[in-house]
Structures are given as structure tokens and as C-alpha cells.
């Protein structure tokens, strides 16, 4: 018997629970043998990553052992997202594969476009969209990687784009464009649709400092390159308080109404964090549902973690244990369950593995999975789910 913190009632909006749970005291879910999922090839297609790229497998249980590495250095999906609906065709979806490249998802296939020069020495994450183009962040974790190429003429990109047309990743902005020294790093950013707000880490032999800067391009962001961007930005100093205000989790009660409706059957007795993105949109926001009138220190409750996305016609959330909530209509399909949310469970993962970020293209959902141990990642990959077949089969 495997255990999970949530009990989904398949293809309904109900969730049966009883009281709040303490650490290592979770609700049981009946497990199935790992081999049972290998026969569901029409519903599920498994992939895993290694140093040579991505590969098909019949099950994550059969993926070769991988040496655990810090998550900033491991080959793993660090971010995923769906483009906005243009009404012309099913919006494509993308994933940032750390230390590897960008995956473009269509309804029928996933294609990895590697880039050794851009990804091999940096940590990649933070997928957002600007006018349909995916943008992502790059930074060097100096704890594990000391720069050896710091020169006055070498640019150090912190923002890059992936062209949906050419399928090439190219640098857009470098830390030098923000007037920063070469030993600085933009470790994180938030884009609200107008302003980009960056957290900057600068390390010297004496100390480590953090600073904050906001900027806006004066023209088309996709047209910029590090060599020509110095005069194309409007910049201002910012503060740690301003950055924390947009990065810190906020109460789930303030989440978008469609996300609240999607998770209406999750009782308030279950604490969780959920990071919600908008298809084709800006940086996601994290919401938290706390235990009512209780402190985690006193109850030892462990909040669950989930990813969510709101698109024009659908909303979806995926919890780490594989519990999925879905509502609305997939591209060019009828409305699911008369508009009411449904819930289902993804196949069980090997011990120590969890589900992560996801994206949907048409009627196919792609969900990242990885082996986690504290700050390290071992095996990793993603699962392609045929939502049409899964929903119609009642699995």
C-alpha cells in the first residue's frame, strides 16, 4: 500500500477527508503494481532525461539510476507553461530543461531543442511569455560554479528567449545591460506584464549583498541582444520589500476566482501552497491555504505543494502526489462535466519521486516528475497524458 496526502474521487469534484493531518500521518490511497501502468500506453507515455537528451521508457520505475545533484545543477524540468490561445490552432506548450534546452510540446509530440553553449554552464528557470514568445532566466550558482570567463568584453546573459519559429534559444539581456559588475547574478525575477523586477546577488571575498532593480524595455523585447540593449531599457532602483511583496505567498482566499472554484472540494483543514500561472502570461503567483486557527509549529502539519494554470477555456492544478483537478474545455473539445471540476490521479511514481510543473497542449497534458532528496535531484523526466482518452475511460 502506498500513501498519499490526498484522496481523489475519480472524475468527480468530491474529496473525502477527515480532519487535519500531522507529519507522516497521511490518508491512504490504494496502490497498483508499477507494471499495471505499462499496459496503459494509450493513456500515458513516459520520458526520462540523461546527459544525452530525453528518452522514452515504459515506466519511471525502469529508468536507470542517476547520481543525485543539487537541483540547480541537475537535468530536470525547472519550469513549464502553455502559450495563450490565438484561436488558430491548439496553443503550443513549452518546458525549460535545466542544463539542457527547451522542449516544445504539441498535442502529438514533444521535441527537445538543446543548446550546449547557453545551458551547460547556467541554471535555467522562470518561464514567461511576451507576445507569444517564451522567455526564461539564466544564472550561475556560484556555490557550485565559479565563473572563469569574467572579462570586460564577455556578456553574461540573465534573460533569454526561445523562438517558436526557428526553435533556437538566444540571449536577450545580460547583467552588464543593467549596469552591474560581471560578478553579479540576477538570481530571480518577476514580470507583471509591464515591469520586470530583478533580485541581484553580488559576491566578493568579503561579503555577499543583494540589491533590486526594475526595468522596462523601450521597444520590442524580442529584438534586443546583450550587445545592443544598454540604451533600450528604462531602469530604476527597487527594494527588497517591493520584491518580497510580489514573490511571497498570499492567502488562497485572494486567488483568482477560477482557481478557487477549481479547488472548492479541498477542505480548509488541508494546508497547501499552490503556484498559479496564466497561459501565455506573466510570472506566476503563489497562494497558501493555512490551517484554520493553528500554527504549523504546534500541529506539525506539512503543507502540500501544487502547480496550477488558468487558460482561456480551462483551469488545471497538479499536486505533487499526482492528484489532478481540471475544469472547463480543452482546445476544440466539449465542456468537461458540464463545467464542474473533475479530479483524477496520475500513475504512482517510485519512492522519493514527485510530480512537478505541467503544461497542456490540445488534449495532451505534460507533467514533469523527478526524484527528490532535500535539495538534490536524481532521476527526472515527464509524463504525457492523453486527457481525452483518460476522461472518456473513467480512469
Amino acid at each position: 500500500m502506498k500513501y498519499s496526502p490526498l484522496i481523489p474521487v475519480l472524475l468527480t469534484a468530491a474529496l473525502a477527508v477527515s480532519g487535519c493531518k500531522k507529519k507522516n500521518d497521511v490518508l491512504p490511497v490504494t496502490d497498483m503494481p508499477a507494471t499495471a501502468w505499462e499496459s496503459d500506453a494509450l493513456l500515458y507515455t513516459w520520458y526520462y532525461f540523461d546527459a544525452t537528451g530525453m528518452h522514452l521508457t515504459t515506466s519511471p520505475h525502469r529508468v536507470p539510476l542517476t547520481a543525485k545533484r543539487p537541483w540547480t545543477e541537475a537535468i530536470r524540468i525547472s519550469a513549464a507553461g502553455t502559450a495563450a490561445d490565438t484561436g488558430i490552432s491548439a496553443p503550443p506548450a513549452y518546458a525549460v530543461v535545466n542544463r539542457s534546452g527547451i522542449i516544445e510540446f504539441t498535442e502529438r509530440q514533444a521535441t527537445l531543442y538543446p543548446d550546449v553553449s547557453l545551458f551547460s554552464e547556467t541554471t535555467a528557470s522562470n518561464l514567461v511569455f511576451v507576445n507569444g514568445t517564451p522567455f526564461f532566466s539564466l544564472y550561475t550558482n556560484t556555490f557550485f560554479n565559479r565563473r572563469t570567463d569574467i572579462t570586460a568584453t564577455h556578456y553574461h546573459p540573465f534573460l533569454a528567449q526561445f523562438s517558436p519559429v526557428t526553435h533556437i534559444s538566444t540571449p536577450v539581456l545580460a547583467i552588464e545591460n543593467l549596469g552591474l559588475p560581471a560578478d553579479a547574478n540576477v538570481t530571480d525575477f518577476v514580470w507583471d506584464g509591464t515591469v520586470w523586477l530583478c533580485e541581484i546577488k553580488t559576491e566578493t571575498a568579503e561579503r555577499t549583498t543583494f540589491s533590486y532593480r526594475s526595468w522596462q524595455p523601450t521597444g520590442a523585447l524580442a529584438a534586443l541582444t546583450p550587445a545592443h540593449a544598454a540604451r533600450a531599457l528604462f531602469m530604476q532602483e527597487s527594494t527588497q520589500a517591493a520584491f518580497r511583496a510580489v514573490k511571497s505567498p498570499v492567502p488562497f482566499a485572494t486567488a483568482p476566482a477560477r482557481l478557487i472554484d477549481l479547488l472548492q472540494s479541498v477542505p480548509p483543514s488541508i494546508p497547501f501552497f499552490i503556484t498559479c500561472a496564466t497561459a501565455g502570461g506573466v510570472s506566476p503567483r503563489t497562494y497558501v491555504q493555512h490551517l484554520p486557527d493553528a500554527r504549523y509549529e504546534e500541529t506539525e502539519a506539512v503543507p502540500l505543494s501544487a502547480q496550477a494554470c488558468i487558460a482561456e477555456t480551462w483551469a488545471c492544478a497538479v499536486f505533487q502526489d499526482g492528484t489532478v483537478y481540471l475544469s472547463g474545455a480543452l482546445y476544440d473539445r466539449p465542456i468537461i462535466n458540464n463545467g464542474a471540476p473533475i479530479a483524477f490521479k496520475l500513475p504512482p511514481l517510485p519512492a522519493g519521486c514527485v510530480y512537478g510543473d505541467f503544461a497542456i497542449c490540445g488534449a495532451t497534458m505534460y507533467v514533469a516528475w523527478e526524484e527528490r532528496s532535500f535539495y538534490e535531484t536524481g532521476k527526472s523526466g515527464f509524463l504525457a497524458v492523453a486527457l481525452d482518452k483518460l476522461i472518456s475511460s473513467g480512469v
Side-chain angles (χ1 to χ4, degrees):
M1 175 81 73
K2 179 176 283 187
Y3 293 91
S4 168
L6 291 178
I7 295 182
V9 178
L10 302 181
L11 302 178
T12 73
L15 188 73
V17 297
S18 58
C20 59
K21 295 289 152 186
K22 295 186 178 182
K23 189 182 302 181
N24 298 324
D25 180 18
V26 293
L27 297 169
V29 172
T30 300
D31 196 10
M32 293 180 63
T35 53
W37 300 103
E38 297 181 18
S39 63
D40 291 328
L42 295 178
L43 299 180
Y44 308 108
T45 306
W46 295 96
Y47 297 82
Y48 73 95
F49 299 117
D50 65 14
T52 65
M54 69 182 201
H55 310 278
L56 283 166
T57 182
T58 56
S59 167
H61 296 263
R62 300 184 183 276
V63 172
L65 292 177
T66 302
K68 291 184 174 65
R69 305 187 67 186
W71 63 269
T72 57
E73 316 304 302
I75 300 175
R76 54 183 289 272
I77 289 181
S78 57
T82 303
D85 188 356
T86 62
I88 300 175
S89 60
Y94 302 90
V96 178
V97 183
N98 188 49
R99 301 286 170 167
S100 182
I102 300 294
I103 296 178
E104 182 180 65
F105 297 120
T106 66
E107 192 165 14
R108 296 188 176 185
Q109 66 181 13
T111 306
L112 173 64
Y113 295 95
D115 188 322
V116 174
S117 63
L118 200 59
F119 285 81
S120 62
E121 299 296 327
T122 56
T123 298
S125 187
N126 284 334
L127 180 65
V128 295
F129 294 85
V130 181
N131 298 324
T133 298
F135 285 77
F136 56 96
S137 67
L138 301 167
Y139 76 94
T140 300
N141 188 312
T142 55
F143 184 82
F144 301 104
N145 300 279
R146 290 290 175 183
R147 283 181 177 162
T148 58
D149 60 349
I150 297 178
T151 68
T153 58
H154 187 86
Y155 290 105
H156 302 88
F158 74 86
L159 185 68
Q161 65 177 315
F162 176 78
S163 170
V165 177
T166 66
H167 301 123
I168 295 175
S169 297
T170 56
V172 177
L173 294 176
I175 57 175
E176 289 82 2
N177 300 139
L178 299 184
L180 300 170
D183 57 356
N185 253 300
V186 174
T187 57
D188 201 1
F189 73 72
V190 176
W191 180 58
D192 65 5
T194 303
V195 177
W196 299 74
L197 179 57
C198 297
E199 180 181 63
I200 302 156
K201 180 181 180 182
T202 305
E203 293 181 278
T204 65
E206 293 76 28
R207 62 175 183 169
T208 298
T209 59
F210 288 89
S211 58
Y212 302 85
R213 193 162 298 182
S214 66
W215 56 271
Q216 297 173 257
T218 57
L221 182 63
L224 298 182
T225 66
H228 305 95
R231 298 183 180 180
L233 303 177
F234 173 72
M235 290 183 290
Q236 288 184 309
E237 296 293 329
S238 189
T239 64
Q240 182 184 68
F243 188 78
R244 285 183 174 178
V246 293
K247 285 293 289 186
S248 299
V250 294
F252 183 67
T254 65
R258 290 177 63 190
L259 181 61
I260 293 176
D261 290 343
L262 179 68
L263 301 183
Q264 59 186 275
S265 59
V266 179
S269 59
I270 295 182
F272 61 80
F273 288 93
I274 187 164
T275 300
C276 183
T278 302
V282 300
S283 297
R285 192 69 198 255
T286 299
Y287 303 92
V288 57
Q289 175 168 285
H290 290 295
L291 282 174
D293 304 319
R295 288 171 40 182
Y296 293 122
E297 293 83 357
E298 296 172 351
T299 64
E300 293 186 327
V302 179
L304 306 177
S305 179
Q307 301 286 331
C309 183
I310 298 175
E312 184 174 349
T313 62
W314 53 263
C316 185
V318 178
F319 283 80
Q320 283 188 338
D321 73 329
T323 303
V324 179
Y325 294 87
L326 177 65
S327 67
L330 302 174
Y331 182 83
D332 203 26
R333 267 79 171 181
I335 294 177
I336 301 168
N337 197 31
N338 295 318
I342 63 171
F344 57 90
K345 196 67 174 287
L346 296 175
L349 293 169
C353 293
V354 296
Y355 285 103
D357 213 346
F358 72 95
I360 294 177
C361 180
T364 304
M365 178 168 65
Y366 298 91
V367 191
W369 65 268
E370 63 183 48
E371 180 185 20
R372 290 186 188 176
S373 177
F374 190 36
Y375 66 92
E376 292 183 318
T377 298
K379 297 184 292 186
S380 67
F382 63 93
L383 170 66
V385 183
L387 292 174
D388 265 357
K389 295 182 177 65
L390 186 145
I391 293 171
S392 62
S393 67
V395 174

